[in-house]
């Protein structure tokens, strides 16, 4: 299995959720999400939302 990471960030919570949903939906059925780290940071008068997704890809089974 290959360990991989994906960083998703946005200053809009709606855009952040959409990006994270799209990434998770794009994972293969047999991929494994190992961990998700979430954080927020003040940026000017707003907030930046971030998630670091640690996932692993697997070899597909052959019938």
């Amino acid at each position: 299995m290959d360990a991989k990471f994906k960083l998703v960030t946005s200053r809009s919570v709606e855009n952040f959720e959409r990006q994270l949903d799209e990434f998770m939906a794009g994972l293969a059925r047999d991929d494994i999400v190992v961990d998700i780290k979430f954080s927020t940071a003040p940026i000017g008068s707003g907030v930046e939302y971030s998630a670091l997704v640690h996932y692993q890809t697997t070899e597909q089974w052959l019938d």
Side-chain angles (χ1 to χ4, degrees), residues 11-48:
R11 292 185 181 185
S12 161
V13 70
E14 292 83 9
N15 189 39
F16 172 74
E17 289 175 344
R18 182 186 53 75
Q19 288 181 47
L20 192 55
D21 285 344
E22 288 175 0
F23 171 72
M24 297 298 283
L27 291 175
R29 189 179 96 180
D30 293 331
D31 290 347
I32 300 166
V33 174
V34 176
D35 194 17
I36 300 176
K37 300 291 186 196
F38 173 77
S39 70
T40 58
I43 302 290
S45 62
V47 175
E48 182 175 61

Side-chain angles (χ1 to χ4, degrees), residues 6 8 10 12 14-15 20 26 30 32 41 44 59-60 62-63:
K6 173 68 175 178
V8 177
S10 180
S12 161
E14 292 83 9
N15 189 39
L20 192 55
D30 293 331
I32 300 166
E59 298 287 328
Q60 292 184 349
L62 300 176
D63 292 331

